[in-house]
Amino acid sequence: IVRCAPRDVKLSEKLVYQPDILFISNERLAISKSEYVDGAPDLIVEILSPGTRLRDTQDKFLDYEKLGVQEYWIMNPNDLISSRFYILEAGKYQEFYPIDQILHSKTIQGFSLNLKELHQKLK
């Protein structure tokens, strides 16, 4: 399933975020409750804004990595080329890159995003 903000994601008893977009695989649907997500989604997308840039790139990055979000996209709507994409490998995020401006999810089999087309639509 895919959910957009506002949707609380309870990563621990004391840590709750509202990511811009999240994805939960069929195998992990049990973490999706009626009012919140109870655990780490498979993929989280945060869309940068001046007020959230540091939180998204530092605090959330470390928390998502530590608590097992498998794939994390930090999207810059003003400059998609400067967006960053990470996959969790051995407990640490490793950056991966689009190929010819096509982003292929490492978590969602067969899902890709054309960054060039998306950029043109955001103009």
Side-chain angles (χ1 to χ4, degrees):
I1 61 172
V2 175
R3 296 279 187 254
C4 298
R7 170 68 77 177
D8 285 346
V9 173
K10 184 178 176 185
L11 294 169
S12 71
E13 286 301 316
K14 297 180 180 180
L15 188 61
V16 178
Y17 286 129
Q18 276 192 357
D20 293 308
I21 302 170
L22 64 90
F23 166 81
I24 301 168
S25 64
N26 287 334
E27 296 78 25
R28 302 187 62 245
L29 285 178
I31 69 170
S32 182
K33 309 300 181 192
S34 61
E35 297 180 13
Y36 65 98
V37 174
D38 189 18
D42 296 281
L43 180 140
I44 286 181
V45 179
E46 294 288 4
I47 300 169
L48 293 178
S49 69
T52 66
R53 178 178 298 277
L54 284 178
R55 189 167 189 217
D56 292 340
T57 60
Q58 293 177 11
D59 299 339
K60 288 182 179 182
F61 179 95
L62 294 173
D63 289 336
Y64 292 161
E65 179 182 66
K66 177 182 171 185
L67 296 166
V69 174
Q70 293 299 303
E71 192 168 340
Y72 182 35
W73 299 359
I74 304 172
M75 305 291 291
N76 183 343
N78 299 318
D79 179 15
L80 289 176
I81 301 303
S82 70
S83 297
R84 297 289 178 251
F85 311 99
Y86 301 93
I87 187 73
L88 194 64
E89 293 180 357
K92 290 287 183 193
Y93 277 141
Q94 302 299 316
E95 190 168 5
F96 69 97
Y97 303 93
I99 299 169
D100 295 327
Q101 296 193 27
I102 306 291
L103 176 66
H104 299 277
S105 174
K106 306 293 184 187
T107 303
I108 307 172
Q109 182 115 20
F111 179 75
S112 61
L113 182 65
N114 186 317
L115 296 175
K116 185 176 182 179
E117 285 181 12
L118 180 60
H119 182 74
Q120 289 171 345
K121 289 179 182 182
L122 292 174
K123 284 184 174 182

